[in-house]
Amino acid sequence: LFRLDDVKATGPVFDMVKLDDMNASYLRALSHEQYADFLADHIKAAAQYLSPILDHVQKRTPRPLDFARWTEPLLSHSLHFKGELLIPKQGTAEMAKRVLQHFAKAFEDVEFKSAQDFDTLIREQSAVLDVKTKEVFMVLRVALFGSLESLPLWEVVEFFGKDWMVTRLKAALALVPRA
């Protein structure tokens, strides 16, 4: 029996494992034709959604299936990579952690008007941290894309927004290996 007293004022909690299991059951129940149509619809929707940055994806995809390689990290709600990738060759886990913490805060506190503003902030703050700019860019790239290769950072940040970027940087902090 439904009682108003049993309703909680907090937000809902989704069991993602259960949700994935239900989704998998649904997908497995489709015929091959229905599944192919489903995939085609989702790829088309992803391409339409990403249309402002699609030219960057297109330049990097010699084969049609490479589309997923460049777009999956952007469409995923969580990060899926080994935290060791966040550590530059000449760096340490502590340095990667400092970069992520510093830039998550720096990006929260500033509004970007252009790629130049974004680039300038990264270069200036790299000097403040006493970390090479190329190492900072690498840590940011891995934190946002889960890979050493990525689409242009500014264009993606401009498309998804500052909040998306800050959320990703904070999530990446949890993946930095302990020193």
Side-chain angles (χ1 to χ4, degrees):
L1 190 63
F2 174 80
R3 292 180 356 172
L4 194 54
D5 293 340
D6 293 332
V7 175
K8 305 279 188 246
T10 61
V13 176
F14 293 102
D15 182 343
M16 292 306 291
V17 173
K18 186 174 183 178
L19 197 57
D20 284 345
D21 187 52
M22 291 172 58
N23 196 48
S25 295
Y26 167 77
L27 293 175
R28 289 184 194 115
L30 297 175
S31 69
H32 290 323
E33 185 178 318
Q34 290 171 318
Y35 186 61
D37 289 344
F38 173 85
L39 290 175
D41 289 346
H42 275 72
I43 289 170
K44 185 176 182 177
Q48 288 173 342
Y49 173 68
L50 296 171
S51 63
I53 59 171
L54 207 53
D55 59 322
H56 297 293
V57 175
Q58 187 176 10
K59 290 174 188 173
R60 290 164 174 78
T61 53
R63 294 174 301 276
L65 293 179
D66 287 343
F67 174 81
R69 173 181 173 221
W70 294 102
T71 59
E72 190 279 331
L74 303 175
L75 299 173
S76 178
H77 295 290
S78 57
L79 302 175
H80 305 285
F81 62 88
K82 293 184 187 233
E84 290 81 14
L85 279 177
L86 290 162
I87 304 171
K89 289 180 184 175
Q90 304 300 317
T92 64
E94 182 57 38
M95 185 269 292
K97 190 175 183 178
R98 278 189 313 122
V99 167
L100 292 169
Q101 289 171 331
H102 184 84
F103 279 93
K105 177 73 174 125
F107 291 147
E108 278 181 330
D109 296 339
V110 71
E111 289 298 324
F112 305 112
K113 303 245 189 293
S114 68
Q116 184 64 41
D117 291 347
F118 183 72
D119 188 75
T120 299
L121 176 73
I122 292 172
R123 291 180 189 287
E124 288 173 353
Q125 295 303 308
S126 296
V128 168
L129 286 171
D130 194 28
V131 176
K132 292 180 182 175
T133 303
K134 71 177 189 171
E135 291 176 343
V136 167
F137 272 108
M138 195 281 301
V139 171
L140 297 176
R141 177 171 286 108
V142 171
L144 298 176
F145 297 97
S147 172
L148 298 174
E149 298 177 293
S150 72
L151 300 174
L153 289 177
W154 165 250
E155 284 80 358
V156 173
V157 169
E158 183 179 42
F159 176 70
F160 282 101
K162 183 173 72 169
D163 292 341
W164 173 85
M165 179 178 57
V166 170
T167 299
R168 287 283 177 124
L169 295 178
K170 289 178 179 178
L173 267 168
L175 298 176
V176 176
R178 296 184 195 265

